[in-house]
Coordinates of all heavy atoms in Angstrom, one line a residue:
Chain G
T84 N 19.9 -68.0 58.7 CA 18.9 -68.5 57.8 C 19.1 -70.0 57.6 O 18.2 -70.8 57.7 CB 18.9 -67.8 56.4 OG1 18.8 -66.4 56.7 CG2 17.8 -68.2 55.6
I85 N 20.4 -70.4 57.3 CA 20.7 -71.8 57.0 C 20.5 -72.7 58.2 O 19.8 -73.7 58.2 CB 22.1 -72.0 56.4 CG1 22.2 -71.3 55.1 CG2 22.5 -73.4 56.3 CD1 23.6 -71.1 54.5
V86 N 21.1 -72.3 59.4 CA 20.9 -73.0 60.6 C 19.5 -73.2 61.0 O 19.0 -74.3 61.4 CB 21.7 -72.4 61.8 CG1 21.5 -73.1 63.1 CG2 23.2 -72.4 61.4
S87 N 18.7 -72.1 60.8 CA 17.3 -72.2 61.2 C 16.5 -73.2 60.4 O 15.7 -73.9 60.9 CB 16.6 -70.8 61.1 OG 17.3 -69.9 62.0
I88 N 16.8 -73.2 59.1 CA 16.1 -74.1 58.2 C 16.4 -75.5 58.6 O 15.5 -76.4 58.7 CB 16.4 -73.9 56.7 CG1 15.9 -72.5 56.2 CG2 15.9 -75.0 55.8 CD1 16.4 -72.1 54.8
V89 N 17.7 -75.8 58.8 CA 18.2 -77.1 59.1 C 17.6 -77.6 60.4 O 17.2 -78.8 60.5 CB 19.7 -77.2 59.1 CG1 20.2 -78.5 59.7 CG2 20.3 -77.0 57.7
L90 N 17.4 -76.7 61.4 CA 16.9 -77.2 62.7 C 15.3 -77.2 62.6 O 14.7 -78.1 63.2 CB 17.3 -76.2 63.8 CG 18.8 -76.2 64.2 CD1 19.0 -75.2 65.3 CD2 19.2 -77.6 64.6
A91 N 14.7 -76.3 61.8 CA 13.2 -76.2 61.9 C 12.6 -77.3 61.0 O 11.5 -77.8 61.4 CB 12.8 -74.9 61.4
Y92 N 13.2 -77.7 59.9 CA 12.6 -78.7 59.0 C 12.2 -80.0 59.7 O 11.0 -80.4 59.7 CB 13.4 -78.9 57.8 CG 12.6 -79.4 56.6 CD1 12.3 -78.6 55.5 CD2 12.1 -80.7 56.6 CE1 11.5 -79.1 54.5 CE2 11.3 -81.2 55.6 CZ 11.0 -80.3 54.5 OH 10.3 -80.8 53.5
P93 N 13.2 -80.6 60.4 CA 12.8 -81.9 61.1 C 11.7 -81.7 62.1 O 10.8 -82.6 62.2 CB 14.1 -82.3 61.8 CG 15.2 -81.6 61.1 CD 14.6 -80.3 60.6
L94 N 11.7 -80.6 62.8 CA 10.6 -80.3 63.8 C 9.3 -80.2 63.1 O 8.3 -80.9 63.6 CB 11.0 -79.1 64.6 CG 10.0 -78.8 65.8 CD1 9.9 -79.9 66.8 CD2 10.4 -77.5 66.5
A95 N 9.2 -79.4 62.1 CA 8.0 -79.3 61.3 C 7.5 -80.6 60.8 O 6.3 -81.0 60.8 CB 8.1 -78.3 60.2
W96 N 8.5 -81.4 60.3 CA 8.2 -82.7 59.7 C 7.6 -83.7 60.8 O 6.6 -84.4 60.6 CB 9.5 -83.3 59.1 CG 9.2 -84.5 58.2 CD1 9.0 -84.5 56.9 CD2 9.3 -85.9 58.6 NE1 8.8 -85.7 56.4 CE2 9.0 -86.6 57.5 CE3 9.5 -86.5 59.8 CZ2 9.0 -88.0 57.5 CZ3 9.5 -87.9 59.9 CH2 9.2 -88.6 58.7
I97 N 8.2 -83.7 62.0 CA 7.8 -84.5 63.1 C 6.4 -84.2 63.5 O 5.5 -85.0 63.6 CB 8.7 -84.5 64.3 CG1 10.1 -85.1 63.9 CG2 8.2 -85.2 65.5 CD1 11.2 -84.8 64.9
I98 N 6.1 -82.8 63.6 CA 4.8 -82.4 64.0 C 3.8 -82.8 63.0 O 2.7 -83.2 63.3 CB 4.8 -80.9 64.3 CG1 5.7 -80.6 65.5 CG2 3.4 -80.4 64.6 CD1 5.8 -79.1 65.8
A99 N 4.1 -82.6 61.7 CA 3.2 -82.9 60.6 C 2.9 -84.4 60.4 O 1.8 -84.8 60.2 CB 3.6 -82.3 59.3
Y100 N 4.0 -85.2 60.6 CA 3.8 -86.7 60.2 C 3.9 -87.7 61.4 O 3.6 -88.8 61.2 CB 4.9 -87.0 59.2 CG 4.7 -86.4 57.8 CD1 5.7 -85.9 57.1 CD2 3.4 -86.2 57.3 CE1 5.5 -85.3 55.9 CE2 3.2 -85.6 56.1 CZ 4.3 -85.1 55.4 OH 4.0 -84.5 54.2
R101 N 4.4 -87.2 62.5 CA 4.6 -88.2 63.6 C 3.6 -88.0 64.7 O 3.2 -88.9 65.4 CB 6.0 -88.2 64.1 CG 7.0 -88.9 63.3 CD 6.9 -90.4 63.4 NE 7.8 -91.1 62.5 CZ 7.5 -91.4 61.2 NH1 6.3 -91.1 60.7 NH2 8.4 -92.0 60.4
V102 N 3.3 -86.7 65.0 CA 2.4 -86.4 66.0 C 0.9 -86.7 65.6 O 0.6 -86.3 64.5 CB 2.5 -84.9 66.4 CG1 1.5 -84.5 67.5 CG2 3.9 -84.6 66.9
P103 N 0.2 -87.4 66.4 CA -1.2 -87.7 66.0 C -2.0 -86.4 65.7 O -1.8 -85.4 66.3 CB -1.8 -88.4 67.2 CG -0.6 -88.8 68.0 CD 0.5 -87.9 67.7
A104 N -2.9 -86.5 64.7 CA -3.6 -85.3 64.2 C -4.2 -84.4 65.3 O -4.1 -83.2 65.3 CB -4.7 -85.7 63.2
R105 N -4.8 -85.1 66.3 CA -5.5 -84.3 67.3 C -4.6 -83.5 68.2 O -5.0 -82.5 68.9 CB -6.5 -85.1 68.1 CG -5.8 -86.3 68.8 CD -6.8 -87.2 69.4 NE -7.5 -86.5 70.5 CZ -7.9 -87.0 71.6 NH1 -7.5 -88.2 71.9 NH2 -8.5 -86.3 72.5
W106 N -3.3 -83.9 68.3 CA -2.3 -83.2 69.1 C -1.5 -82.2 68.3 O -0.8 -81.4 68.9 CB -1.4 -84.1 69.8 CG -2.1 -85.1 70.7 CD1 -2.3 -86.4 70.6 CD2 -2.7 -84.7 72.0 NE1 -3.0 -86.9 71.6 CE2 -3.3 -85.9 72.5 CE3 -2.9 -83.5 72.7 CZ2 -4.0 -85.9 73.7 CZ3 -3.6 -83.5 73.9 CH2 -4.1 -84.7 74.4
Q107 N -1.7 -82.2 67.0 CA -0.8 -81.3 66.1 C -0.9 -79.9 66.4 O 0.1 -79.2 66.5 CB -1.1 -81.6 64.7 CG -0.5 -82.9 64.2 CD -0.6 -83.0 62.7 OE1 -0.9 -82.1 62.0 NE2 -0.2 -84.2 62.2

Side-chain angles (χ1 to χ4, degrees):
Chain G
T84 308
I85 292 167
V86 173
S87 302
I88 293 173
V89 170
L90 292 181
Y92 203 106
L94 183 59
W96 193 87
I97 292 166
I98 295 177
Y100 292 142
R101 282 288 175 271
V102 175
R105 56 186 299 221
W106 297 110
Q107 281 190 11

